[in-house]
């Protein structure tokens, strides 16, 4: 997307609110997520969380390094201060100390899809974002799971963020303002 | 090489993919970040520290071979042989061998890692988090390989002198060590550092360029690794040849 994302949409979703962007057929959801993320970073530098269905982690970093990377890069804090925040985020997900130790010291290749999504959600919570961009498939999976699942607990926390944008082809859920692509 | 360049559609890709490399120097302030410095230190550790034993052994053998050949085959005195070794080692052998070993070990790793990261959507993931690809991924790799080439060349130069001295002087090695300023001069040391730094930087830029240009699919990863080594070695000899012509 080389154009300003706001010009191509009926409403600018990069502002406080709960937005549902319906991507037309023939256009890639990933491209819209990239464009929205870039636009959101212009407004809230380093305070944007993206939850796409692939739940990508950096493969040559351990999970704990993946969790702290965005916030470490943004704030340049000492590692021990970030460690405390990782512990708090894991407690929020309901993980025990042993579960946390096992989880954060493994490499992303050792995680299944659920584990990767948990890591991505923990990373997003640690960012302390002003804007959350979610792919519709991720949204559907999180809203269809039991409320006490660790991923769902973290996802509920992220839904409190003022700017929450869901992007994809699924029909709009209630509680969201529809955003359409202007032809 | 031409078919590779045409196959990859270089003109378009250069604009799109190589853009981060063209302005790499602008990302130097990224080194203020702990996260970037950690990547740089990891690169230096994997590229130079893990290869230090290997290059030390190669340097020691090389020094011994050069001194023995000059003395036995050409009938020169041990002292002349050591002087030749000092000049040849610092100006040619150490930068070339150090950089060759670095290319063989690390260029393939850098190129394949970058292609793998692109194939896995990791570049996109970093961009989503506002992390600049040039500053976080490319700058530490280029700087790390440049520094490593200088360190490895220094190791080869040092150990080749040790090998030469031990094989020429035997038990009187202490005397030759005391006379080392006759074999080495500051300008030779500067040439060694400058040459190896240039070799390392060029090989690193090439490895990154191949990592950025190669199609991000798993079947292309081994090809990227082999291209990085092949073209990297070729580049070293071209630069050395041009250096010899100019200086």
């Amino acid at each position: 997307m080389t154009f300003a994302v706001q010009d191509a949409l009926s409403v600018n979703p990069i502002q406080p609110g709960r937005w549902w962007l319906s991507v037309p057929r023939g256009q890639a959801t990933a491209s819209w997520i990239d464009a929205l993320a870039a636009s959101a970073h212009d407004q809230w530098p380093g305070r944007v969380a993206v939850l796409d269905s692939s739940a990508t982690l950096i493969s040559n970093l351990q999970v704990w390094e993946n969790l702290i990377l965005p916030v470490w890069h943004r704030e340049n804090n000492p590692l021990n201060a970030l460690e405390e925040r990782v512990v708090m985020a894991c407690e929020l997900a309901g993980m025990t100390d042993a579960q946390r130790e096992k989880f954060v010291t493994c490499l992303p290749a050792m995680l299944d899809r659920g584990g990767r999504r948990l890591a991505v959600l923990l990373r997003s919570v640690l960012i302390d974002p002003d804007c959350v961009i979610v792919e519709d498939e991720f949204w559907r999976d999180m809203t269809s799971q039991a409320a006490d699942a660790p991923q769902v607990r973290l996802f509920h926390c992220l839904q409190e963020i003022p700017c929450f944008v869901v992007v994809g082809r699924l029909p709009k859920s209630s509680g969201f303002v529809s955003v359409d692509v202007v032809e | 090489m031409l078919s590779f360049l045409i196959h990859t559609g270089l003109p378009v890709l250069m604009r799109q993919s190589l853009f981060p490399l063209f302005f790499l120097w602008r990302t130097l302030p990224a080194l203020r970040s702990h996260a970037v410095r950690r990547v740089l230190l990891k690169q230096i550790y994997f590229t130079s520290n893990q290869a230090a034993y290997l290059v030390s052994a190669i340097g020691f053998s090389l020094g011994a071979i050069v001194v023995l050949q000059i003395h036995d085959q050409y009938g020169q005195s041990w002292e002349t042989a050591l002087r030749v070794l000092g000049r040849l080692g610092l100006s040619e052998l150490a930068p070339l061998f150090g950089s060759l070993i670095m290319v063989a070990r690390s260029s393939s790793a850098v190129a394949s890692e970058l292609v793998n990261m692109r194939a896995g959507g990791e570049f996109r993931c970093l961009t989503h988090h506002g992390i600049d690809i040039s500053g976080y991924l490319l700058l530490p790799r280029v700087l790390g390989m440049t520094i490593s080439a200088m360190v490895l060349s220094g190791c080869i130069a040092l150990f080749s002198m040790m090998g030469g001295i031990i094989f020429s002087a035997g038990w009187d090695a202490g005397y030759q060590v005391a006379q080392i300023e006759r074999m080495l001069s500051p300008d030779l040391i500067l040439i060694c550092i400058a040459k190896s730094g240039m070799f390392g930087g060029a090989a690193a830029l090439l490895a990154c360029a191949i990592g950025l240009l190669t199609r991000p699919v798993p079947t292309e990863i081994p090809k990227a690794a082999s291209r990085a080594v092949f073209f990297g070695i070729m580049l070293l000899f071209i630069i050395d040849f041009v250096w010899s012509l100019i200086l």
Side-chain angles (χ1 to χ4, degrees), chain B residues 80-124:
Chain B
T80 308
L82 279 174
R83 272 192 211 158
V84 172
L85 172 67
R87 174 164 284 278
L88 194 65
L90 281 170
S91 64
E92 282 297 331
L93 296 178
L96 195 60
F97 273 79
S99 305
L100 278 175
I101 290 163
M102 190 206 65
V103 166
R105 288 185 76 252
S106 300
S107 285
S108 54
V110 166
S112 55
E113 189 182 29
L114 290 178
V115 182
N116 192 37
M117 289 183 83
R118 284 169 61 226
E122 293 171 34
F123 272 37
R124 206 173 147 241

Side-chain angles (χ1 to χ4, degrees), chain A residues 30 33-34 37 41 46 48 50 52 56-61 64-65 69-70 72-73 76-77 79 123 127, chain B residues 30 32-38 42 113 116-117 120-132 136 141:
Chain A
I33 291 174
D34 293 349
H41 274 290
V48 180
V50 177
D52 59 359
T56 310
L57 298 168
I58 307 303
S59 56
N60 57 8
L61 300 179
W64 71 267
E65 292 173 299
L69 180 62
W72 197 27
H73 192 268
N76 218 10
N77 279 343
L79 278 177
R123 182 174 67 190
I127 288 172
Chain B
R32 283 197 292 259
S33 160
H34 287 302
V36 175
R37 286 207 300 275
R38 186 180 169 88
K42 268 186 173 179
E113 189 182 29
N116 192 37
M117 289 183 83
E122 293 171 34
F123 272 37
R124 206 173 147 241
C125 171
L126 290 170
T127 311
H128 283 167
H129 292 104
I131 298 171
D132 178 36
Y136 180 72
R141 277 163 179 77

Side-chain angles (χ1 to χ4, degrees), chain A residues 35-82:
Chain A
L36 286 172
S39 182
H41 274 290
D42 288 341
Q43 193 157 336
W44 298 292
R47 290 197 178 272
V48 180
V50 177
L51 301 168
D52 59 359
S53 54
S54 57
T56 310
L57 298 168
I58 307 303
S59 56
N60 57 8
L61 300 179
Q62 286 182 321
V63 169
W64 71 267
E65 292 173 299
N66 268 287
L67 298 183
I68 62 163
L69 180 62
V71 71
W72 197 27
H73 192 268
R74 184 187 70 205
E75 295 176 5
N76 218 10
N77 279 343
L79 278 177
N80 51 3
L82 293 169

Side-chain angles (χ1 to χ4, degrees), chain A residues 6-29:
Chain A
Q6 295 85 344
D7 298 342
L9 301 173
S10 58
V11 187
N12 177 17
I14 307 303
Q15 57 180 316
R18 288 169 66 80
W19 312 98
W20 191 285
L21 169 60
S22 303
V23 177
R25 288 199 175 279
Q27 293 189 17
T29 304

Side-chain angles (χ1 to χ4, degrees), chain B residues 60 78-79 82 158-184:
Chain B
F60 191 86
W78 288 116
E79 200 167 318
L82 279 174
L158 183 71
F159 279 86
S160 69
M161 289 308 297
M162 274 176 61
I165 287 171
I166 288 170
F167 273 81
S168 63
W171 293 109
D172 295 328
Y175 171 75
Q176 293 291 358
V177 171
Q179 301 292 315
I180 202 156
E181 82 277 0
R182 291 167 131 194
M183 295 172 250
L184 305 177

